[in-house]
Amino acid sequence: MSFEVFSYESLVHAVSGAMGSVTAMTVFFPLDTARLRLQVDESRESKSTPAILAEIIKEEGLLAPYRGWFPVICSLCCSNFVYFYCFHSLKENYLKGQQSTSSVDLFMGMAAGVINVLATTPLWVVNTRLKLQGSKFRNAEIHSTNYSGIIDAFIQIVRDEGVGALWNGTFPSLLLVLNPAIQFMIYEGLKRQLRKGAYRELTSIEVFIIGAVAKAVATTVTYPLQTVQSVLRFGQFHKSTEQSNLLSSLKSIKCLLINRVRRYGISGLFKGLEAKLLQTVLTAALMFLLYEKIASCTFKAMGLQKALYKRR
């Protein structure tokens, strides 16, 4: 079976997804700042998202909630471009014009997620460091960093910690391919249910709601691993050097999860979930809305709209 890597349709999906995600993240970026601070700074008490943002602004300045915006947007743009392109390209080549199913959406979402993680993890490691740089932490064990930008962060991490440090958190990230896979499975399944064979364009409200529902479910299910991922990317959790990378990663994940439960109980695994849900649900809903509108307008101009509905 032939496999076409380059597809104009997949490119439209990738560009639409990247543009939608960048716009949505910019709008709700302060909410992500609050979530990340709660995940990494274990000594900070869990409070409402507005309270956390008020503390950050009071202690660090009015623009502090947007610290690290540029590297995050760069990483997000690249990550979503890769994910949307791979997801739709793999589906298009597998289905050959047939309608998709939930199992196909899940499998293709996981495959696209693996490719995306391996390709873009260094960008996310750097953006996590830059986003937390200059923050006032409650945890005295966290050391400050001094990066002047994206390139300097790459250079310092490679020089001081080795090339492998750019892939910190890769193993939990690979486990977390379930997050977008579940999200896309639910989203695409709800779209098919709403259309019920009519091959119509969904309304803005319908797209916003199903995008929010899909992300809420995926985020809640995988949140403990997302917390571990953030801690490992920040790079201040010491892993064992006497074991293989795989065993060391597994032990790190296990230790972080157990320590959280011992110190804070089961609720510690979901510290910052409120901020994460508020940010990620709204961001995903707006992202899917913009993605669908951009892709729809482009495909209408190409005269491909009806044929594409039948395959999704």
Side-chain angles (χ1 to χ4, degrees):
M1 180 177 66
S2 63
F3 185 88
E4 297 180 6
V5 176
F6 301 104
S7 163
Y8 187 74
E9 293 176 11
S10 297
L11 181 62
V12 171
H13 284 296
V15 172
S16 301
M19 291 176 63
S21 63
V22 165
T23 304
M25 176 57 84
T26 299
V27 172
F28 297 113
F29 192 81
L31 301 179
D32 191 55
T33 298
R35 180 272 311 175
L36 186 60
R37 198 67 64 86
L38 281 170
Q39 285 183 325
V40 172
D41 191 359
E42 294 184 354
S43 297
R44 182 182 290 273
E45 295 180 5
S46 292
K47 299 178 180 178
S48 66
T49 300
I52 293 295
L53 288 174
E55 280 186 356
I56 293 172
I57 291 172
K58 181 180 179 181
E59 296 173 1
E60 303 169 33
L62 188 61
L63 296 180
Y66 275 92
R67 181 185 291 117
W69 171 84
F70 183 71
V72 169
I73 290 302
C74 290
S75 302
L76 189 68
C77 184
C78 294
S79 180
N80 276 279
F81 183 92
V82 171
Y83 191 90
F84 274 85
Y85 191 95
C86 291
F87 179 75
H88 288 283
S89 181
L90 291 169
K91 273 183 62 174
E92 180 183 341
N93 280 275
Y94 180 81
L95 294 171
K96 297 296 182 183
Q98 302 299 311
Q99 190 179 55
S100 185
T101 63
S102 295
S103 59
V104 170
D105 290 333
L106 181 63
F107 181 77
M108 296 304 169
M110 292 175 66
V114 169
I115 297 171
N116 181 40
V117 165
L118 296 178
T120 65
T121 290
L123 289 172
W124 287 111
V125 168
V126 167
N127 94 56
T128 299
R129 305 282 185 96
L130 289 172
K131 192 171 181 181
L132 291 169
Q133 183 168 272
S135 302
K136 295 184 182 300
F137 294 109
R138 301 291 193 274
N139 189 346
E141 296 180 0
I142 296 179
H143 308 292
S144 61
T145 55
N146 185 25
Y147 306 127
S148 61
I150 296 175
I151 303 300
D152 182 55
F154 270 111
I155 292 172
Q156 286 198 44
I157 292 171
V158 171
R159 183 191 64 203
D160 299 336
E161 304 171 47
V163 176
L166 292 174
W167 276 268
N168 279 349
T170 296
F171 191 75
S173 295
L174 287 174
L175 296 179
L176 278 169
V177 299
L178 283 171
N179 184 302
I182 292 171
Q183 175 186 343
F184 270 76
M185 178 186 71
I186 295 173
Y187 178 76
E188 296 289 340
L190 289 174
K191 276 204 302 186
R192 286 190 292 270
Q193 289 297 315
L194 287 173
R195 285 177 178 151
K196 295 181 179 178
Y199 308 128
R200 65 179 176 88
E201 183 174 353
L202 299 182
T203 66
S204 297
I205 294 177
E206 287 175 328
V207 172
F208 191 89
I209 291 175
I210 65 174
V213 170
K215 191 62 178 179
V217 174
T219 297
T220 303
V221 169
T222 60
Y223 189 76
L225 282 174
Q226 292 182 51
T227 299
V228 169
Q229 179 191 58
S230 295
V231 173
L232 291 176
R233 280 175 174 172
F234 191 38
Q236 302 205 23
F237 177 80
H238 301 292
K239 297 185 291 184
S240 172
T241 57
E242 300 177 355
Q243 298 171 308
S244 67
N245 287 334
L246 177 58
L247 288 175
S248 179
S249 296
L250 286 171
K251 186 175 181 180
S252 297
I253 294 170
K254 178 183 175 181
C255 287
L256 285 167
L257 291 174
I258 291 175
N259 286 341
R260 288 249 167 184
V261 173
R262 284 177 176 172
R263 295 176 68 178
Y264 308 107
I266 294 297
S267 62
L269 296 177
F270 294 90
K271 187 180 180 184
L273 179 60
E274 177 209 352
K276 179 64 175 177
L277 279 176
L278 185 60
Q279 176 264 328
T280 198
V281 169
L282 292 175
T283 301
L286 181 56
M287 181 270 290
F288 274 120
L289 175 59
L290 295 172
Y291 154 69
E292 291 287 355
K293 295 303 179 184
I294 295 170
S296 175
C297 290
T298 305
F299 286 131
K300 279 181 179 177
M302 296 167 59
L304 297 173
Q305 194 76 342
K306 188 173 181 179
L308 285 170
Y309 282 150
K310 291 180 179 180
R311 294 205 298 268
R312 295 174 66 190

